[in-house]
Amino acid sequence: MELKIVGGDLANAKTPCLILGVFDKRKLSRPAEAVDKASDGAVSALLKKGDLDGGKGWLLAYDLPGLAAERVLLIGLGKRKESDRGKLTKALGVALSRLAEIRVDKALLAPPERLDNYVSVRAAALKAAQAAYRYEETKKPKDDASLPLAALDIWVDKRVRAAAARALAHAGAIAEGVALARELGNLPGNRCTPSYLAERSVTLADEHPGLTTEVLEEDAMQALGMGALLSVSRGSRQPAKLIVMTYRGGDENAKPVALVGKGLTFDAGGISIKPATDMDEMKYDMAGGASVFGAMVAAMRMGLPINLIGVVPASENLPDGNANKPGDVVTSLSGQTIEILNTDAEGRLILCDALTYLERFEPAVVLDMATLTGACIVALGRHPSGLFTRDDKLAAEITYAGEAADDRVWRLPLWDDYQQQLDSNFADIANIGGRDAGAVTAACFLARFTKAYRWAHLDIAGTAWVTGKEKGATGRPVPLLSEFLIRRSGVETES
Ligand code: BES
Ligand code: MN
Ligand code: ZN
């Protein structure tokens, strides 16, 4: 989608649709006021008829006098004093789905005063870009399908022009990252295999000179001693891949930020096989890996002055004569032995070797993203991702980034008290910790492999995709990661 900042006289703006904000009790936002004046009070006259008192909803009007716009779309923003970025994006979302239905694919948004800053403009543009995503790889749209927005112009006053332009550039970059993560997630498991992900990382590197990719094959992983990761892919005909992407935008000597994502392209559970209901959704078990792809692209598009490493261990988890069996003991790259009591707790097995592998890059900080446990959904539902870290400062940074990017997390404990649940009689550690606090014990497992650096884990089981009628990948937590990286690299975001 094309995003552009415009200025000048709103009344003269030629656009298929001018979007203006109206507050509670028909109070016009400042841009709406200017347009009202230019149209000789046509906007307020329309509002007086009472279909939209500004609290909620929208109102579409055609051919208002004195305006070059074909249509004016008024959106209700609630009480002026309480108006915030969330209300703006929500109202915009509703308005845009209306525009998509009537197949208008270009619009001009004039955000209300006080929401014409970096944060709101970025959120609005990102919302619009996200609403324009359609999955079409294996299903072509019908002729009368809603039309995604092709171009959004955003009008801002001269005084905030620079910040708004930066906001738009960032929104475009984040949207591209989110779209990539959603697309990879939505692709079926028979297309999006570990090899497919590896190929995509190579294509990305070809397209972006700033990015390099290395793919470790099974023999290389074997030689390194990644016994945990390889034990999972043994039950599958698809070879495992360890994808390592590098972006160097920062100082030569600056330590990299490392992102690691679970790239389990289909999780049937293995010998501890899952029930059939909703098993199709386990194609999304690579969403953590997809978010690494997305965040790399976003960072690169923004040209962030930061060094980044993205690691995606990719595998399937299927039942097979050669698959892991409950009770099997494998040796991880770290040297710790693991008793596999449940083959469905495979995410931690592929992640632990990737996390140990990362040590060689001496990362400044490591974030891992994984659709790791159903227990995280039980604990938190599907609104926030679960955040686990012992590092309070890092927790604050990530929590803040989640708030700012409308991609929230909620912290759960990672206390040593839980570690004993992972005791095994036959190995250094068991891969499951019993019924209690399943999301915590999964994080505790990973904590045993991340002692060499600052680290946080995001359990995105409840947030990476939407289930039900609107089933589809969300692209989360790419917005959070992008925000985290923007702040880490010290790029200006105020206006
Ligand atoms: N990928 C699943 C977790 C999952 C399940 C995410 C449902 C989203 C929705 C993971 O590999 C898994 O199977 N975890 C098990 C762990 C258990 C065996 C300790 C789970 O959550 O049941
Ligand atoms: Mn599993
Ligand atoms: Zn899984």
Side-chain angles (χ1 to χ4, degrees):
M1 197 179 87
E2 217 176 284
L3 293 164
K4 206 164 79 228
I5 292 290
V6 298
D9 187 352
L10 269 176
N12 291 334
K14 277 212 182 77
T15 171
C17 184
L18 171 60
I19 306 174
L20 296 167
V22 179
F23 298 111
D24 177 47
K25 305 220 174 76
R26 298 178 211 148
K27 295 242 166 41
L28 299 177
S29 65
R30 209 168 293 148
E33 222 166 56
V35 171
D36 188 43
K37 224 175 249 163
S39 70
D40 220 4
V43 174
S44 38
L46 197 68
L47 283 171
K48 279 217 184 79
K49 298 196 173 159
D51 290 340
L52 171 74
D53 80 356
K56 258 196 231 148
W58 51 268
L59 186 68
L60 194 54
Y62 296 83
D63 299 323
L64 293 188
L67 305 185
E70 287 168 43
R71 301 172 185 73
V72 172
L73 179 54
L74 302 173
I75 58 178
L77 297 174
K79 294 199 170 81
R80 180 178 246 144
K81 274 201 189 125
E82 293 167 9
S83 76
D84 57 17
R85 164 182 108 229
K87 295 211 176 69
L88 173 64
T89 51
K90 197 159 173 222
L92 183 64
V94 176
L96 289 177
S97 46
R98 183 64 199 135
L99 284 188
E101 275 167 36
I102 59 172
R103 301 179 67 79
V104 171
D105 69 349
K106 289 191 188 68
L108 165 60
L109 167 71
E113 63 277 17
R114 291 210 304 273
L115 294 179
D116 53 356
N117 50 32
Y118 171 88
V119 182
S120 300
V121 168
R122 195 186 84 186
L126 184 56
K127 176 86 185 186
Q130 292 212 48
Y133 169 82
R134 300 283 186 278
Y135 175 79
E136 292 179 354
E137 190 56 35
T138 50
K139 183 185 181 189
K140 294 296 168 225
K142 301 202 181 90
D143 286 345
D144 60 349
S146 70
L147 191 66
L149 203 66
L152 180 70
D153 291 350
I154 299 189
W155 180 91
V156 293
D157 193 72
K158 268 200 237 74
R159 124 198 99 75
V160 290
R161 196 100 187 230
R166 198 158 47 234
L168 231 53
H170 286 182
I174 298 168
E176 195 181 328
V178 169
L180 175 59
R182 290 173 78 180
E183 186 69 11
L184 292 175
N186 287 333
L187 284 173
N190 59 335
R191 295 214 179 191
C192 184
T193 58
S195 301
Y196 178 85
L197 285 178
E199 278 163 29
R200 280 301 285 257
S201 76
V202 173
T203 328
L204 269 186
D206 289 344
E207 289 166 1
H208 303 275
L211 189 80
T212 55
T213 292
E214 192 193 356
V215 178
L216 273 71
E217 306 291 336
E218 287 191 342
D219 50 1
M221 293 189 252
Q222 185 73 51
L224 284 163
M226 296 187 166
L229 195 164
L230 288 171
S231 78
V232 176
S233 67
R234 243 195 359 252
S236 153
R237 301 201 181 173
Q238 296 291 336
K241 307 277 171 175
L242 185 68
I243 303 164
V244 183
M245 295 174 278
T246 313
Y247 161 71
R248 300 195 64 90
D251 272 0
E252 204 173 319
N253 300 321
K255 291 191 169 173
V257 171
L259 305 176
V260 187
K262 174 178 175 184
L264 215 291
T265 59
F266 189 77
D267 181 14
I271 297 298
S272 315
I273 197 165
K274 288 182 181 296
T277 311
D278 293 336
M279 206 209 269
D280 64 289
E281 295 188 5
M282 283 298 108
K283 72 174 182 179
Y284 290 119
D285 212 15
M286 35 56 71
S291 77
V292 173
F293 277 76
M296 298 288 297
V297 164
M300 208 156 44
R301 282 273 153 169
M302 289 186 278
L304 295 183
I306 196 170
N307 295 332
L308 254 187
I309 296 188
V311 176
V312 181
S315 172
E316 289 185 330
N317 184 29
L318 295 174
D320 178 80
N322 214 13
N324 277 327
K325 303 175 293 299
D328 282 1
V329 175
V330 298
T331 305
S332 65
L333 176 60
S334 73
Q336 299 176 83
T337 55
I338 304 166
E339 185 184 16
I340 300 171
L341 288 171
N342 189 317
T343 67
D344 198 10
E346 84 298 337
R348 59 199 81 178
L349 296 176
I350 66 170
L351 283 167
C352 71
D353 280 349
L355 287 164
T356 303
Y357 183 71
L358 264 179
E359 288 178 13
R360 68 187 57 209
F361 301 110
E362 296 180 24
V365 55
V366 178
L367 268 54
D368 83 71
M369 287 65 65
T371 47
L372 204 61
T373 66
C376 190
I377 311 180
V378 175
L380 295 174
R382 294 174 189 269
H383 304 289
S385 304
L387 166 65
F388 302 83
T389 180
R390 291 209 185 89
D391 188 323
D392 290 342
K393 210 163 155 254
L394 185 55
E397 241 180 281
I398 293 170
T399 305
Y400 184 88
E403 293 282 348
D406 296 320
D407 186 5
R408 286 183 296 180
V409 299
W410 193 258
R411 192 177 180 186
L412 292 169
L414 192 59
W415 301 324
D416 280 337
D417 310 56
Y418 295 93
Q419 282 288 356
Q420 59 181 9
Q421 284 178 244
L422 295 170
D423 286 349
S424 157
N425 288 350
F426 304 103
D428 298 329
I429 183 172
N431 81 326
I432 55 169
R435 271 175 55 89
D436 291 357
V440 178
T441 51
C444 283
F445 181 96
L446 298 178
R448 301 246 192 142
F449 299 85
T450 53
K451 295 189 170 145
Y453 41 67
R454 295 182 71 193
W455 162 75
H457 158 63
L458 298 176
D459 194 328
I460 58 170
T463 54
W465 74 92
V466 175
T467 176
K469 203 166 166 348
E470 303 287 311
K471 191 185 290 179
T474 60
R476 289 177 69 180
V478 173
L480 177 154
L481 296 173
S482 305
E483 183 73 39
F484 177 82
L485 296 173
I486 290 172
R487 305 212 146 250
R488 277 239 140 201
S489 49
V491 168
E492 184 80 56
T493 56
E494 305 302 324
S495 51

